[in-house]
Amino acid sequence: MLAHIDFYSNCLMMKTGINVLLPDEPHETLTVLVLLHGLGDDENSWIRQTSLERYVNQESLAIIMPRAERSYYQNGLAGQKYFDYICTELLVKCRTWFSLSEDLDHTFIGGLSMGGFGAAKAALLHPEIYKSAFLMSAALDLPRRWEQDKKREMWYKTLFGSLKELKNSENDLFNLITDSKTNVKKPYIWQLCGQDDLFYQENCDFNELLEENGYRNVFLKVEGNHSWEVWDKAVIIVIAEIKKLLFEAQ
């Protein structure tokens, strides 16, 4: 079952929309996966570009797909707090509307590309909210992105200030992995990336750093590039991995 909801967000200070996928049969409480879109997409992209609705209709899983524009799921300098939105307000509202679990062991986040960045940051900074992060072709090294693509500099400045401010901040995910303050409680980090993907090397580097710092992590290297063909297959594996984690938590 697919529900679309338009509502006013206090964090964003405007109306926004989400899609929520629910199983066809009612359940008392549902495991939660917040699934984030990439740059240039919206809350409809996972539905339109994959067979996600078919994959999940027999599972006791609710998939929440928010709209985040081109925000990088960041509390932007203009005032719209997308990071606070996905970590607090979104879950609170959805749990009042639907029968969703409030148990950490049943609360996950994932995303592709820009959404992979948002999912990683959310799990690393808030492991008390999200048990695990599922990163598909994630854009993980924003300082590298900035240095390699100066055409995006003005846009990045509206989100992160300067490149100097970005480095070693909470938006520098490599810094979060090594920072002792955020390295106390470690979420499970699952990665998948195509070997022809433009983000492949930074995913390899991120995986290596996770291992060096004692994180439980998995990195699946698959054929393909930065495409929905890869992500449609990836989300099937994500659903299976969530079921595995739930079994382990019993």
Side-chain angles (χ1 to χ4, degrees):
M1 182 173 71
L2 176 63
H4 180 86
I5 304 173
D6 293 311
F7 61 97
Y8 183 84
S9 163
N10 293 317
C11 286
L12 305 182
M13 299 180 293
M14 65 179 187
K15 283 195 172 182
T16 188
I18 61 171
N19 284 323
V20 182
L21 266 180
L22 303 164
D24 288 342
E25 297 298 324
H27 292 70
E28 288 189 5
T29 56
L30 295 168
T31 296
V32 179
L33 171 63
V34 175
L35 191 58
L36 307 180
H37 66 74
L39 185 66
D41 291 329
D42 60 21
E43 74 275 22
N44 298 309
S45 298
W46 278 105
I47 301 298
R48 290 174 174 165
Q49 300 290 345
T50 75
S51 296
L52 183 62
E53 190 169 7
R54 177 165 56 87
Y55 300 152
V56 80
N57 64 2
Q58 298 299 319
E59 308 293 342
S60 57
L61 177 66
I63 300 184
I64 303 168
M65 293 157 282
R67 181 193 311 157
E69 314 300 338
R70 294 169 59 86
S71 68
Y72 260 95
Y73 301 90
Q74 158 73 357
N75 288 344
L77 301 181
Q80 293 173 335
K81 298 180 178 180
Y82 278 97
F83 186 69
D84 291 350
Y85 170 64
I86 64 166
C87 288
T88 56
E89 184 181 16
L90 178 65
L91 285 171
V92 169
K93 278 186 161 64
C94 286
R95 282 169 171 151
T96 63
W97 296 330
F98 304 102
S99 181
L100 307 181
S101 176
E102 297 186 18
D103 187 345
L104 174 63
D105 287 334
H106 288 255
T107 308
F108 306 92
I109 191 167
L112 66 88
S113 196
M114 178 186 79
F117 170 86
K121 179 182 171 183
L124 290 170
L125 287 176
H126 290 292
E128 79 284 0
I129 296 175
Y130 291 113
K131 180 71 173 181
S132 308
F134 296 91
L135 318 180
M136 291 162 272
S137 307
L140 297 169
D141 193 345
L142 287 189
R144 182 189 298 185
R145 299 279 116 229
W146 192 320
E147 290 172 342
Q148 291 180 348
D149 190 355
K150 292 296 184 180
K151 291 182 293 185
R152 294 187 173 189
E153 185 161 8
M154 290 305 298
W155 169 43
Y156 285 154
K157 283 182 176 180
T158 67
L159 296 175
F160 309 111
S162 66
L163 176 57
K164 183 178 179 181
E165 290 173 296
L166 173 60
K167 290 181 177 180
N168 300 318
S169 73
E170 66 177 21
N171 291 305
D172 183 345
L173 298 184
F174 285 74
N175 178 64
L176 287 184
I177 296 298
T178 57
D179 190 332
S180 59
K181 296 190 294 295
T182 57
N183 209 6
V184 177
K185 188 174 182 181
K186 298 180 172 70
Y188 171 49
I189 305 293
W190 182 97
Q191 292 173 256
L192 180 144
C193 193
Q195 296 181 39
D196 295 323
D197 195 296
L198 70 164
F199 296 153
Y200 178 70
Q201 187 56 53
E202 62 196 73
N203 274 266
C204 292
D205 295 343
F206 193 72
N207 171 70
E208 184 177 336
L209 194 63
L210 289 170
E211 292 180 347
E212 290 174 357
N213 285 272
Y215 280 77
R216 181 187 176 192
N217 66 302
V218 168
F219 182 25
L220 300 183
K221 304 173 184 179
V222 300
E223 294 183 359
N225 53 20
H226 209 70
S227 68
W228 282 105
E229 182 179 2
V230 170
W231 305 323
D232 181 48
K233 297 173 183 175
V235 78
I236 300 174
I237 306 172
V238 168
I239 293 169
E241 187 70 12
I242 288 174
K243 293 168 69 174
K244 176 183 171 183
L245 292 172
L246 294 175
F247 179 79
E248 290 177 0
Q250 289 179 349

